[in-house]
Amino acid sequence: MHLIKKTLSGIILLWATASFAQTSLPVPTNIQATYNKGTRTPTGAPGKNYWQNRAAYNLTINFTPKTRVLDGIDEVEYTNNSPDTLKQIWFKLYPNLYLKGNIRAMPIKPEDITDGVRINKIEINQTVYDTGKLIVNGTNMIIPNEVVSPKQKIHFKIYYTYTLNKTSHVRTGQVDTGAFFIAYFFPRIAVYDDIDGWNTNPYRGTEEFYNDFCNFKASIIVPGNYQVWATGNLTNPNQVYTDQYIKRIQEAEKSDNVTDIITEDDLKAGNISPRNLTNTWQFEADSVTDLAFAISDHYLWKASSLVVDPKTNRRTRVDAVFNQNHKDYFAVINYARKTVESMSYVFPKWPYPYPHETVFDGLDQMEYPMMVNDNPEEKVFDAITLTDHEIFHTMFPFYMGVNETKYGWMDEGWATIGEWVISPLIDPTIVDNFAIAPYENIAGKEGDQPIMTLTNQLGTSSFEPNSYGKPGLGYYYIRDLLGDELFTKALHHYIEQWQGKHPMPYDFFNCINTACGQNLNWFWRSWFFDRGAPDLAISKVTLQRSTYTVVITNIGGKPIPIDLTLYYGDGTTQLVHESINAWKGGNKTFTINHQSHKHINKMVLGTTYDPDINKENNGWEAK
């Protein structure tokens, strides 16, 4: 099909009369307060008074696969960079999702209900704390009456234990008898920010996470026949791998080819790691929002690497770690490597920021810094789209520390458009319509909430459309409007301003406006704040002297592109495309004058990325 743009000869696009007055966005009082305090600015840049608190974690984890018991020591030094005196410290106990009596937004099997995280001992600034004073409410734990003044530090050492879930695999848990993906496994200090203060939102299993950028050191103790993969760099390879495997890892980190680091024969030989009762695996990661790890005694490991930053020749290693019985997983290394390459050079065209990306064969579809927990997929289409979607999350939320609990669309929407763009680069036959149908099904109905509705306030029917499809389309349409070059420039400006920080929606909107030199609030407001539905119609077609005049009416009010396919009598087709700019002025109609000496049999509105709640008025046929 031949794409015809409005700038090409033979097509004249006429605007309906409309006002082009600029549109402002409604700003809640708590957001306006950040401008008044100087922590954020109406241009989208962080303010001169912007701050964020930091923590350094030193974790010692002893995990016993047979019992699934995790014993941990969580040592953390927390720095209060805020101008406020903190009078209590909030922690997150994410494993308490499985706590008996806890409020959850999803069912948990009875055999996975536990007593939650048991706090055995706490030391604060080297003084033993009375754990009887702790306030534990589900996944929140409060240490009251601990004062931390501005610019001061506080040191915690927490001894704790809990039992990892065997089933009810919500992002973490046992995969099989010899494989485990372990995340959210330590008490961590909640975010204290310039918008809400403490993040008091409980973890209910649906909404995702909001964490500070922290430094991590982790010592993970497991039986000697297990290998460990984790966020960060392995700092003691000589103590946990025998020589030939260290050489293979080093080879993979320098080669574009795929290296088989652990094969089926290696598993049979059983000399991958020193044959100790237990081995201690040590990892370090700086300025990341979380740390997760996975272990197995029977997984294969394929790895490759590529230059992600041609200016410095920095390389990223890409891993696929999987059960040899999952034959589809043998190709995942190629999908993962192509995703990292595409992200670095095509979209978002930003050098992949981390030293490795490890795709682990698990039971979920979930992302973590430098790690992915992905279930096997039988179909190539599903394996590709799952792999690139989850890896794309590296940028959002991990490089850009968005508050997923409140604004799930600020990361899932990006992973959705990332999937749409990158999947065809891996396999050109793919046409990926992920998350579009759920939006189309609910659009304009009572359950269709504005994207700006806080994620933890959404109903079941609007959760998926608002997190994935609707925002993904919003980004997709802006990219189409601005063109790839200007859109990339604007997106890079946003990344440069907010990498390693906590951007909110208005920071994003204002950054894009500033960088592209256009006030796009008319679109932000219509797509992200207002109600309405995508519903275009071919209202009228007339022919005069080889000129077809086509009137398109925006019935539903949502600004979506105009994609009009023309079917000629000789069997050829053309696609006439106009971006969302067609509706900038708030006009309800848009007229296309198309000159053609060939007879047109019919016209049809819409493509894969043009949802429409009523397709009955999207066609016209010559009589």
Side-chain angles (χ1 to χ4, degrees), residues 23 30 86 98 239 256 285 350 372 380 421 441 490 533 559 577 616:
T23 302
N30 60 324
L86 306 180
Y98 296 91
Q239 297 176 22
D256 291 347
W350 187 274
V372 168
V380 171
V421 172
N441 291 337
H577 173 76
E616 292 183 0

Side-chain angles (χ1 to χ4, degrees), residues 336-354:
R337 190 182 190 281
K338 184 64 176 180
T339 299
V340 171
E341 178 185 28
S342 299
M343 289 178 64
S344 300
Y345 294 100
V346 181
F347 182 73
K349 208 172 183 178
W350 187 274
Y352 204 77
Y354 299 118

Side-chain angles (χ1 to χ4, degrees), residues 34 77 83 122-123 183 208 249 253 287 316 332 412 417 433 451 480 497 502 507 532:
T34 67
E77 185 171 85
I122 295 180
E123 297 175 6
E208 295 181 8
I249 295 170
E253 290 175 341
S287 195
T316 289
V332 166
E412 292 296 354
I417 183 179
N433 62 354
I451 296 174
D480 177 51
Q497 293 294 317
H502 294 311
D507 301 319

